[in-house]
Amino acid sequence: MISRRGALIAGGTGAVAVAGGGVAAYKVATGDKPEPPSPASVNAEGKLLWRNWSGVQHAYPAARLAPKDEGELATALKVAQAPIRPVGAGHSFTALAPTSGTLVSLDAMSGIVAWEGDEAIIRTGTRLGALGPLLAEKGRALPNLPDINKQSLGGALGTATHGTGQKIQAMHGDVTGLRLVTPSGKVIDADATKNPEIFQAARVSLGSLGVISQVRMRTSANRRLRRKVWLEPFDEALANAEARWAQHRNFEFYAVPFTGLAANISHDETDDPALDRGPDQDTEFLLALRGLRNLLGFATPLRKAAARALLSTAKPETAVDEGWKLLSTERPVRFNEMEFHLPVENQLKALQEVVATIEKERPDVFFPIEVRRIAADDAWLSPFQGGVRGSVAVHAYYRDDFTFLYELIEPIFRRYDGRPHWGKLHTLNGGQLAAIYPRWKDFLAVRQELDPEGRMLNPYLKGLFGLS
């Protein structure tokens, strides 16, 4: 059996050999743009470089804190040099973390503190990849997980990071209580009845209210899921998407530009025995798509024909395992990303326009476009506040130009009433965000109350909130 990835891998090299004369030509054809220049590891003042995962954001913080417990965190925040910014895995593409002041890592504050029935109290420095097995020890799991397992829990919650599932909320939707350490060192417990306004503001707060040290989260039974992956023409994926979101526990699909194809992924609960997924070949899949781009980017019809021919024999893939092992994965190939969350009636129309625009204007793009659906919740700055939303995420290889995301893609998303993912590239701020978030002013009032001196605000957040 050949997988969708294997077909591209095998076929990509073959296509190049047919067109250009064998392995030597392939090596030349797949040459990349140079590695983007890296900032100096130490600046003129002797401060060490911090850089995010994709390399698009960096800073030279004056101080770095790694508190071991909540008391140490509270004491440190009172005297830390502003701006104070919490940081996790650096998977945000926006400038949420960079600071010339103090960078706070909660890596030393991780793990499950206690259980209250089926709710787990979890330190927010816990990485998602480590949280799955910790919950599984008790036979529990988080109801949903995002695509990448490297993020810290705090960073994922603070930016409204999500998975996919029309009836399943983003991760912060399962937070039932939290503990916030303010920049004055005060520790505040909040939930739906105790400090409810702080609770609704803090569940998605971009690290602007203080540092959330732990959360209480609902969990579900740690069930096995059956994962299926299959390819089909893009038009068929569009026609069937709504029915599949209604049918499957988790469903998403990837539109693959310049191929006319889409890759579908579904997850459903099962009692069947485990069936190994096998080696994760996503990296090879992306490299093969890049090879097709480099060889045939000059001719879209030829590129599409080659992709269809190469994938015509690809067979569906199936795996069965615990959900935390299947829903989140490694993503070693770096990229920059823009994702907007749209009203469901606009999602697929926006997607079609995005694909058409990329295929007309940007033959350098080869990353698949991720299409997901997320249930509504009521956190004030949740992109899913007020109704179910459909997300569309466009990626650019980290070595490639990504300004097209602002120039070509963001205007489409905004025309279709999209809300940006807080951790991904966008240009909205101030009044623009106030117009699409009904509780925007309420959030700003809570922020002002908890941090009147703006010690948690770096220049990016000041601009985002429309503050001088």
Side-chain angles (χ1 to χ4, degrees):
M1 180 180 294
I2 185 167
S3 71
R4 62 185 175 96
R5 305 177 186 89
L8 272 176
I9 296 160
T13 54
V16 177
V18 169
V23 174
Y26 176 70
K27 289 180 179 178
V28 173
T30 56
D32 274 326
K33 293 180 181 178
E35 187 79 16
S38 175
S41 58
V42 181
N43 72 359
E45 298 175 354
K47 303 297 189 296
L48 296 177
L49 172 70
W50 172 87
R51 204 174 186 196
N52 79 327
W53 176 75
S54 73
V56 73
Q57 303 292 347
H58 76 279
Y60 297 94
R64 302 178 190 229
L65 300 178
K68 297 181 178 62
D69 56 45
E70 192 175 83
E72 189 174 319
L73 172 63
T75 299
L77 290 184
K78 289 189 290 185
V79 297
Q81 179 177 330
I84 305 167
R85 296 303 304 146
V87 66
H91 265 276
S92 288
F93 305 98
T94 50
L96 287 170
T99 179
S100 59
T102 303
L103 205 60
V104 181
S105 168
L106 298 188
D107 281 354
M109 296 174 58
S110 65
I112 297 174
V113 177
W115 288 86
E116 295 182 1
D118 288 334
E119 295 187 332
I121 299 175
I122 311 166
R123 295 186 181 95
T124 53
T126 311
R127 299 299 175 98
L128 298 184
L131 183 56
L134 291 176
L135 293 170
E137 289 177 2
K138 292 281 190 178
R140 308 300 295 177
L142 293 184
N144 211 351
L145 287 167
D147 184 58
I148 298 175
N149 64 11
K150 297 301 184 185
Q151 296 116 311
S152 70
L153 179 60
L157 296 172
T159 54
T161 296
H162 60 93
T164 187
Q166 186 160 273
K167 298 179 181 179
I168 307 176
Q169 295 179 332
M171 294 181 66
H172 64 266
D174 289 307
V175 173
T176 61
L178 56 87
R179 183 170 290 172
L180 174 70
V181 184
T182 73
S184 67
K186 183 179 180 181
V187 178
I188 300 173
D189 287 305
D191 58 26
T193 58
K194 184 177 183 180
N195 298 311
E197 292 202 339
I198 291 176
F199 176 67
Q200 292 294 60
R203 281 195 291 165
V204 179
S205 56
L206 316 180
S208 67
L209 308 181
V211 178
I212 297 174
S213 59
Q214 64 183 43
V215 293
R216 186 175 68 243
M217 295 189 72
R218 285 186 291 262
T219 66
S220 58
N222 184 32
R223 294 291 307 279
R224 286 198 188 108
L225 299 181
R226 177 177 294 277
R227 171 187 171 93
K228 292 185 177 181
V229 182
W230 71 99
L231 281 172
E232 68 183 354
F234 176 51
D235 289 344
E236 292 183 21
L238 287 173
N240 291 308
E242 293 293 348
R244 288 167 177 164
W245 273 312
Q247 173 187 355
H248 296 291
R249 181 190 191 276
N250 310 86
F251 174 74
E252 64 183 313
F253 70 95
Y254 289 79
V256 188
F258 303 101
T259 70
L261 299 168
N264 301 279
I265 304 175
S266 67
H267 291 87
D268 291 290
E269 294 185 2
T270 181
D271 292 322
D272 290 348
L275 178 63
D276 187 25
R277 179 180 174 184
D280 188 346
Q281 298 180 11
D282 285 351
T283 298
E284 288 81 2
F285 178 52
L286 288 171
L287 294 179
L289 289 176
R290 188 186 67 190
L292 285 173
R293 184 274 309 264
N294 290 345
L295 176 69
L296 301 173
F298 65 92
T300 295
L302 183 58
R303 186 173 170 184
K304 285 189 174 183
R308 284 179 178 271
L310 297 173
L311 291 166
S312 62
T313 60
K315 303 296 183 182
E317 301 174 14
T318 301
V320 177
D321 214 326
E322 296 173 59
W324 65 270
K325 297 180 182 179
L326 297 178
L327 293 170
S328 282
T329 58
E330 305 279 343
R331 288 282 181 247
V333 179
R334 289 185 287 161
F335 53 81
N336 291 298
E337 181 180 0
M338 175 177 286
E339 181 176 35
F340 272 65
H341 309 292
L342 306 118
V344 292
E345 64 271 16
N346 293 344
Q347 180 184 16
L348 299 182
K349 290 184 287 186
L351 170 66
Q352 289 174 282
E353 192 168 334
V354 165
V355 172
T357 299
I358 287 174
E359 292 189 346
K360 179 182 178 183
E361 304 287 348
R362 295 304 300 241
D364 56 321
V365 173
F366 64 88
F367 261 83
I369 299 166
E370 190 172 18
V371 189
R372 294 181 282 181
R373 188 67 63 85
I374 306 95
D377 65 76
D378 58 358
W380 288 353
L381 291 196
S382 169
F384 321 109
Q385 189 273 340
V388 179
R389 288 257 161 172
S391 71
V392 178
V394 184
H395 308 71
Y397 187 45
Y398 81 104
R399 293 189 181 193
D400 293 341
D401 169 64
F402 61 85
T403 56
F404 78 95
L405 295 173
Y406 302 117
E407 297 165 356
L408 299 176
I409 306 305
E410 187 176 59
I412 297 172
F413 288 148
R414 293 186 63 183
R415 268 202 316 276
Y416 285 102
D417 299 323
R419 292 170 173 167
H421 188 301
W422 293 117
K424 300 178 184 180
L425 299 170
H426 69 93
T427 64
L428 278 69
N429 57 36
Q432 297 165 324
L433 292 165
I436 59 177
Y437 280 95
R439 304 302 297 267
W440 183 256
K441 291 183 178 179
D442 296 323
F443 178 88
L444 293 184
V446 170
R447 194 218 63 77
Q448 176 65 25
E449 177 187 351
L450 295 176
D451 184 21
E453 297 178 3
R455 284 168 47 75
M456 303 299 301
L457 302 182
N458 63 5
Y460 174 77
L461 281 173
K462 288 182 179 179
L464 192 77
F465 295 146
L467 305 173
S468 59

